[in-house]
Amino acid sequence: MEHSIKYFGLNNIALENDLRRVARDKKIQLRPSRKKSARDAYYAQISEHIRHDAAVMARHYELFYSLEIAIRDTIRARLEEIDKDNWWDKYVPQFIRDNAAANKKKETEAGVTARSEDWLSYTNFGELGQIITSNWPIFSDTFTDQKAVQNVIARLNTLRGPIAHCSMLAEDEVVRLQLSLRDWFRLME
């Protein structure tokens, strides 16, 4: 077992080095550069263990962020194919539109910069699954099974909690997140 773990670690190091080499050769920046900011002056005052946990969780956040945006893009693209100008009003259930309006109003009243002009950005993650399933005839050629979409979205939404609310994911939940991501993309095969 110990030999397998060492081999796994060495394999990952080799993959990371190859990826960095390709990025350097292609002049691709893998991560945004961290310029010195006021944050840097204070960040060092936070304990090393908290900063370590934050770095670990950042990978999961990045994965979930990317997945959620990809799901929103899939929904938007599919509904725009049907009705480019009125998809939001025609195909998004009223309670979801009301919730999005309430979310947008709350942010406006708080005086913060609008997150987006896109109404879909104001929906909650679980509502994305409801948009898909309430329009199943439109999405049935994109996803293989309606119940599976509901189950995978529900599982991802549960996993989203600790990621969005600054808690560590247990080792089993990291595996479950990876499997759920695989399940999501398998639904589109």
Side-chain angles (χ1 to χ4, degrees):
M1 177 68 158
E2 184 178 330
H3 179 69
S4 295
I5 293 171
K6 285 181 183 177
Y7 178 72
F8 177 77
L10 290 173
N11 191 36
N12 283 342
I13 290 169
L15 287 171
E16 285 180 23
N17 286 335
D18 287 345
L19 182 60
R20 285 190 191 103
R21 181 184 47 76
V22 169
R24 189 174 48 252
D25 292 347
K26 301 287 184 185
K27 295 179 175 49
I28 299 170
Q29 185 175 348
L30 295 177
R31 297 200 181 266
S33 62
R34 285 194 52 210
K35 295 179 181 172
K36 291 286 183 187
S37 67
R39 170 189 172 252
D40 295 331
Y42 300 103
Y43 192 60
Q45 296 177 39
I46 298 171
S47 77
E48 176 62 33
H49 126 196
I50 293 172
R51 289 184 285 147
H52 172 268
D53 288 354
V56 169
M57 288 304 295
R59 293 182 300 215
H60 307 308
Y61 175 83
E62 181 180 15
L63 186 145
F64 209 96
Y65 175 93
S66 301
L67 175 63
E68 187 168 336
I69 298 301
I71 292 171
R72 290 177 195 282
D73 289 348
T74 299
I75 290 170
R76 183 182 312 97
R78 192 68 189 100
L79 293 177
E80 282 181 348
E81 285 176 21
I82 304 300
D83 188 338
K84 182 154 181 68
D85 296 323
N86 296 313
W87 64 269
W88 176 257
D89 292 323
K90 273 187 174 175
Y91 296 105
V92 175
Q94 184 64 49
F95 75 95
I96 294 174
R97 293 195 320 261
D98 291 346
N99 190 48
N103 289 340
K104 186 172 186 175
K105 181 180 181 201
K106 183 178 174 184
E107 287 183 14
T108 300
E109 290 173 348
V112 298
T113 304
R115 69 174 89 168
S116 174
E117 293 298 315
D118 177 21
W119 280 106
L120 203 53
S121 296
Y122 291 93
T123 59
N124 298 324
F125 184 78
E127 293 171 339
L128 299 175
Q130 292 173 315
I131 294 170
I132 293 168
T133 57
S134 67
N135 292 287
W136 188 248
I138 296 171
F139 287 98
S140 63
D141 65 344
T142 305
F143 300 100
T144 56
D145 186 83
Q146 184 176 9
K147 186 70 173 168
V149 168
Q150 291 172 326
N151 289 333
V152 172
I153 288 281
R155 188 171 46 244
L156 285 165
N157 202 26
T158 300
L159 292 166
R160 183 183 181 276
I163 296 168
H165 299 285
C166 301
S167 297
M168 292 297 292
L169 271 182
E171 185 178 329
D172 288 348
E173 302 317 310
V174 171
V175 172
R176 198 175 325 279
L177 176 60
Q178 293 165 348
L179 292 173
S180 296
L181 179 68
R182 184 181 304 163
D183 290 343
W184 175 257
F185 286 104
R186 191 175 296 129
L187 288 171
M188 293 191 288
E189 291 178 348

